[in-house]
Every structure is written in C-alpha cells, then in structure tokens.
C-alpha cells in the first residue's frame, strides 16, 4: 500500500522501465462524506477521497509520457486532471491508500506503448479447403431436410 505522505511510486513496467515517482506536491486530495460501508458513523466522517493529478502540469512525466497519458485518458480528464475516487473502506487513511494505488495502476497502464499493429494475412490453402468443405457438408445436410418435391 502507498503511504499518503510520500511521493507516489509507479512500479516499473512497459513504458516506465525504471519506474516513476510522482511528487506529493503534484497530487491533490479532497475529502467528503462517503455513502460506502460503515453504518451510521460513516455519515458523520469524511472518509471518501478524491485524488487528482494534473497531467498537463506534473513534473513526473516527460513529453512522450505526457502525450501518451493524455491520449489514453482522453474524455476521462477534467481540465487536464485525472480524478480518482475511493470510498471502499470506513477509514479515510485506507481510502487514501486505495486511491493512490489505483492512480499508480492507471498511470502504469496509460504509459505502456500501444501494441504493434496487426499484420493482415490471408487464410492458408488448407484453411480455405476446410471452410469450403464445411460449407458443402452443411448445404448437403440442409438438402436432406427438404421434402422430396421441394427440389428445384
């Protein structure tokens, strides 16, 4: 679990070969009342966490990573900010940690390079032969279902 008082660490992966550290100053947390688990006490405590990161202004990303993240998140951004909401737990601290973990996971997925383009290929001769044989068998089966006078 990520400690809310320290920088956010994104583990190494595709697109982030050495990992990534997002300064705590780039993260903004907002707390509000949660409708999640916990019964009556949850109605009086601010346990819901909204964690946001301004992708256009953060110093953690280089230009390639920034463009990749902006393209990946697209319409999910609000004025260039990515907002993560966590209200799964009764504890504010656990919700803060859950939001940071989700943000790290999302950033790692967004910074991965796009998969290579699919190369179009034609079916091989044996695949074509199997397909045509299957079509012929299916047509023969349907012909057997016809009444004798329906043949044309």
């Amino acid at each position: 679990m990520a400690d809310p008082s320290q920088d956010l660490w994104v583990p190494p992966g595709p697109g982030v070969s050495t990992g990534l550290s997002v300064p705590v100053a780039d993260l903004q947390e907002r707390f509000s009342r949660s409708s999640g688990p916990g019964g009556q006490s949850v109605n009086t405590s601010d346990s819901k966490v909204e964690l946001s990161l301004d992708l256009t202004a953060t110093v953690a990303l280089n230009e390639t990573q920034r463009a990749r993240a902006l393209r990946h998140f697209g319409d999910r951004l609000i004025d260039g900010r990515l907002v993560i909401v966590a209200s799964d737990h009764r504890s504010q601290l656990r919700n803060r940690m859950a939001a940071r973990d989700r943000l790290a996971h999302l950033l790692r997925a967004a910074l991965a390079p796009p998969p290579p383009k699919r190369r179009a290929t034609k079916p091989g001769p044996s695949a074509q032969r199997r397909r045509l044989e299957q079509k012929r068998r299916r047509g023969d089966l349907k012909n057997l279902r016809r009444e004798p006078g329906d043949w044309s």
Side-chain angles (χ1 to χ4, degrees):
M1 288 273 189
D3 182 8
S5 64
Q6 296 179 351
D7 293 347
L8 175 68
W9 173 248
V10 178
V16 193
S17 58
T18 59
L20 181 72
S21 179
V22 179
V24 73
D26 288 354
L27 301 172
Q28 183 179 24
E29 289 180 321
R30 209 174 87 190
F31 306 102
S32 59
R33 290 190 176 165
S34 173
S35 62
Q40 290 179 339
S41 67
V42 85
N43 296 330
T44 58
S45 64
D46 292 340
S47 60
K48 178 174 154 184
V49 176
E50 290 183 18
L51 179 66
S52 64
L53 171 66
D54 190 353
L55 293 175
T56 59
T58 185
V59 296
L61 303 175
N62 62 33
E63 289 308 312
T64 306
Q65 292 172 332
R66 187 180 323 278
R68 196 175 280 168
L70 290 172
R71 187 172 48 252
H72 178 82
F73 291 119
D75 57 351
R76 184 174 176 173
L77 299 177
I78 302 168
D79 296 328
R81 298 185 78 78
L82 178 62
V83 179
I84 307 296
V85 178
S87 61
D88 304 337
H89 306 284
R90 292 177 67 176
S91 159
Q92 185 185 87
L93 178 62
R94 289 187 64 194
N95 281 330
R96 289 174 74 188
M97 293 165 59
R100 290 172 67 93
D101 286 344
R102 284 185 205 157
L103 179 60
H105 179 73
L106 286 172
L107 278 176
R108 184 173 174 197
L111 297 177
K117 297 269 186 193
R118 180 189 172 276
R119 283 188 359 196
T121 58
K122 293 181 181 177
S126 60
Q128 288 178 354
R129 193 170 41 254
R130 283 192 307 268
R131 182 181 63 85
L132 293 175
E133 178 62 26
Q134 178 62 32
K135 283 173 63 102
R136 188 189 59 73
R137 270 193 253 120
R138 187 74 181 154
D140 290 347
L141 180 68
K142 288 184 175 188
N143 278 334
L144 289 174
R145 292 184 192 151
R146 287 179 158 178
E147 291 188 26
D150 285 349
W151 296 343
S152 46

